[in-house]
Amino acid sequence: MNAPIGVMDSGVGGLTVAKEIMKLMPAEQVVYIGDNARCPYGPRPFAEVRKFTWQLAEKLVRQGVKLLIIACNTATAAALKSLQKHLGIPVIGVISPGARAAVKASVKKKIVVLGTAGTVASGAYESAISSLSSSSAVIPLACPKFVPLVESREHTGEFARSLVQETLLPLRKQSFDTAILGCTHYPLLQPFIEEVFGQTVTVVSSAEETARDAKRLLEYENLLANRNGQPKHIFYTTGSVPIFRETVKDWLGIEEPEIRKTRFI
Ligand code: DGL
């Protein structure tokens, strides 16, 4: 079935998930929405995040998507259950896949979760991890400065490196062997995060595991695309079209991406 897969995030972070989907299922068309104008979602009350997430989801449903991926941990924590119950198409989030990848990787059963204030406060990773492994301990850490850094495309320089070092300081006395990037923006900071944690810690992101879940679901529902040739992906942003275009070009390697402006207010 050649209907697109809908992918949404508060901003550019969900592109890390879209990238894995495009890699794993090259015949699938992706329609993406980044709500850059209202990013970050992390510090917002959950009721507001839920409202925004529903607006994005309904926009994607109007585009005829066959599957919705909430490629944002904060939005997953706030709205996954209500979307799964009421949206009328399959919906998957990023928290269960990330938790599963971390439980698989951890030998010591001590798992750090880096996330937004909202995701950390929700306890969603603790629930997901304890349902998979009751003996695993979770050490959560909110990293509120990371998302603005990635959104402003400042995630590669020395400033970013020292901000990551400073943010992760509270973990220096903890003993753990696995860390989840519990925000889809954080894979962009992964080199600096790994530099701090060293080689004894496995850093997992939910992007690959989420893409695998999406593929399994589409296979099971007999909804995989059967086109020949490359699909044309579409990217909506509520923010700046030129900035979003540069990010899509850089991160996804698409030369002339189709970027469209949308708004919800
Ligand atoms: N990418 C979102 C997440 O995974 C970022 C949240 C935000 O906008 O603060 O949580």
Side-chain angles (χ1 to χ4, degrees), residues 9-10 13-14 39-43 71-75 94 116 119 147 182-185:
D9 181 42
S10 60
C39 187
Y41 282 8
C72 173
N73 292 262
T74 317
V94 281
T116 66
T119 301
V147 169
C183 170
T184 52
H185 283 70

Side-chain angles (χ1 to χ4, degrees), residues 18-73:
K19 187 173 186 167
E20 294 304 323
I21 289 166
M22 292 170 190
K23 217 194 281 175
L24 191 67
M25 297 181 280
E28 297 294 338
Q29 182 195 14
V30 169
V31 178
Y32 184 95
I33 300 187
D35 194 5
N36 306 72
R38 299 186 292 190
C39 187
Y41 282 8
R44 294 180 186 272
F46 258 27
E48 189 174 43
V49 174
R50 197 171 302 122
K51 179 177 140 198
F52 291 176
T53 306
W54 263 96
Q55 290 173 334
L56 269 54
E58 283 172 336
K59 165 97 186 171
L60 288 169
V61 167
R62 288 196 294 276
Q63 310 297 304
V65 301
K66 60 187 170 188
L67 162 69
L68 172 66
I69 301 179
I70 312 178
C72 173
N73 292 262

Side-chain angles (χ1 to χ4, degrees), residues 32-252:
Y32 184 95
I33 300 187
D35 194 5
N36 306 72
R38 299 186 292 190
C39 187
Y41 282 8
R44 294 180 186 272
F46 258 27
E48 189 174 43
V49 174
R50 197 171 302 122
K51 179 177 140 198
F52 291 176
T53 306
W54 263 96
Q55 290 173 334
L56 269 54
E58 283 172 336
K59 165 97 186 171
L60 288 169
V61 167
R62 288 196 294 276
Q63 310 297 304
V65 301
K66 60 187 170 188
L67 162 69
L68 172 66
I69 301 179
I70 312 178
C72 173
N73 292 262
T74 317
T76 298
L80 177 66
K81 284 199 185 112
S82 84
L83 287 165
Q84 283 178 327
K85 199 161 164 202
H86 302 292
L87 200 65
I89 56 166
V91 184
I92 58 182
V94 281
I95 291 181
S96 296
R100 206 182 319 126
V103 166
K104 230 187 278 172
S106 180
V107 176
K108 283 190 185 167
K109 304 286 172 226
K110 281 215 168 154
I111 301 170
V112 159
V113 175
L114 306 178
T116 66
T119 301
V120 165
S122 75
Y125 271 101
E126 281 87 336
S127 313
I129 289 170
S130 74
S131 71
L132 297 167
S133 159
S134 55
S135 58
S136 288
V138 175
I139 308 159
L141 181 70
C143 310
K145 292 185 178 158
F146 287 3
V147 169
L149 201 65
V150 175
E151 283 290 319
S152 60
R153 297 169 57 83
E154 286 171 302
H155 52 279
T156 52
E158 275 314 303
F159 177 70
R161 171 183 270 131
S162 53
L163 196 116
V164 167
Q165 286 168 350
E166 186 186 300
T167 306
L168 300 181
L169 265 180
L171 297 171
R172 73 190 181 286
K173 293 209 175 116
Q174 300 278 0
S175 130
F176 56 96
D177 66 352
T178 304
I180 304 178
L181 304 180
C183 170
T184 52
H185 283 70
Y186 298 178
L188 276 303
L189 292 165
Q190 191 160 347
F192 296 146
I193 294 171
E194 285 181 337
E195 207 172 85
V196 173
F197 288 159
Q199 289 182 349
T200 55
V201 174
T202 307
V203 175
V204 302
S205 99
S206 47
E208 279 176 43
E209 198 74 13
T210 303
R212 278 195 285 270
D213 270 13
K215 187 173 183 198
R216 271 192 292 269
L217 192 140
L218 292 177
E219 265 163 4
Y220 181 77
E221 301 275 346
N222 208 11
L223 289 175
L224 280 170
N226 56 0
R227 62 168 61 80
N228 297 316
Q230 289 274 324
K232 178 84 184 159
H233 306 298
I234 298 168
F235 301 88
Y236 288 94
T237 174
T238 57
S240 153
V241 167
I243 294 176
F244 206 84
R245 177 172 292 115
E246 284 316 301
T247 302
V248 170
K249 280 163 109 174
D250 283 0
W251 296 8
L252 302 186

